Amino acid sequence: TRYSLLASEPTSLATLAPVLLLSLLSVSGLVASDFQDFKGGRFALKPLAAAAFIWLAVLLGAPQSNYGQWLLFGLVLCAVGDVLLMFEAEAAFLAGLVAFLCGHLLYAVAFTQLPLNTMAIAIACLPALTLIVLVLFWLRPHLQGLMRAAVPAYIIVIAAMLIFAGGTWGHAGSLLILCGAWGFAFSDLAVARRQFVSADRINGLWGTPLYFGSQMLLAASVAWQL
């Protein structure tokens, strides 16, 4: 299995080294570029950082399982969302929001390809629903026009993804899935704060590495599902 391969063969780590290095360098450079408001760095490095998590999933065998295929589709859509969010126009932000919404949906579908623990799903509902209430309470005063409907719909989809991620508990790789899914959800708060509350540069200092790290964790989870 991929699990035993990664655990027992040092050469497999050498195979993964380039993609891990690409992720580390591109994300670090992206955080620095955004903090300095260097748009050239953002446009050069953000696609590279997104390509890294897709590359990792492919290296670990995503096309070889139903779970991996659905997850890979989600990763690609998130990469599309990353590119769209590089632009500051509201239309680009809305298109990016749709891409990420579809990415979250595909992650949820991917999680359902695994045997789900119904008790774990029930337990996961409480924190997921709590997140919905708290985030809507926080953001609603800042939303206008179409966003008053689009953002709540997006948050509900995130909650569904988190619930199904919770349902994978007990299976190989479930810790990566849970950490990746929740990290992805919390990184969305940085995007929401920047877009609707405050454009403070501190948003990217924690939101960007959390987002790309979470995507890498989700991509890595395919190695345990073959």
Side-chain angles (χ1 to χ4, degrees), residues 82-199:
D82 286 327
V83 172
L84 290 169
L85 290 188
M86 291 192 300
F87 303 94
E88 297 178 355
E90 183 174 350
F93 177 80
L94 185 58
L97 191 72
V98 171
F100 278 114
L101 183 146
C102 292
H104 281 296
L105 281 174
L106 289 176
Y107 287 167
V109 173
F111 302 150
T112 65
Q113 304 305 301
L114 306 175
L116 296 179
N117 183 324
T118 53
M119 180 60 71
I121 288 178
I123 293 172
C125 286
L126 179 59
L129 294 176
T130 300
L131 181 67
I132 289 179
V133 173
L134 292 178
V135 174
L136 285 178
F137 181 79
W138 170 51
L139 285 180
R140 192 157 185 80
H142 304 282
L143 302 178
Q144 297 179 353
L146 182 60
M147 293 300 170
R148 293 182 68 86
V151 171
Y154 184 82
I155 295 170
I156 290 171
V157 170
I158 290 176
M161 179 199 69
L162 294 175
I163 290 170
F164 284 116
T168 68
W169 182 253
H171 299 286
S174 62
L175 186 59
L176 291 177
I177 291 172
L178 282 167
C179 290
W182 277 94
F184 187 7
F186 279 115
S187 72
D188 280 333
L189 299 182
V191 176
R193 185 176 186 272
R194 183 193 66 196
Q195 186 70 18
F196 303 116
V197 181
S198 171

Side-chain angles (χ1 to χ4, degrees), residues 25-122:
L25 294 179
S26 58
V27 172
S28 299
L30 177 59
V31 170
S33 295
D34 283 346
F35 189 75
Q36 297 295 328
D37 198 25
F38 176 43
K39 294 182 180 179
R42 180 189 312 161
F43 277 80
L45 294 171
K46 200 171 190 182
L48 286 177
F53 57 68
I54 295 174
W55 184 13
L56 179 62
V58 172
L59 279 178
L60 294 177
Q64 300 175 33
S65 68
N66 288 336
Y67 170 81
Q69 289 170 11
W70 284 105
L71 191 80
L72 184 58
F73 293 150
L75 290 169
V76 170
L77 279 173
C78 288
V80 171
D82 286 327
V83 172
L84 290 169
L85 290 188
M86 291 192 300
F87 303 94
E88 297 178 355
E90 183 174 350
F93 177 80
L94 185 58
L97 191 72
V98 171
F100 278 114
L101 183 146
C102 292
H104 281 296
L105 281 174
L106 289 176
Y107 287 167
V109 173
F111 302 150
T112 65
Q113 304 305 301
L114 306 175
L116 296 179
N117 183 324
T118 53
M119 180 60 71
I121 288 178

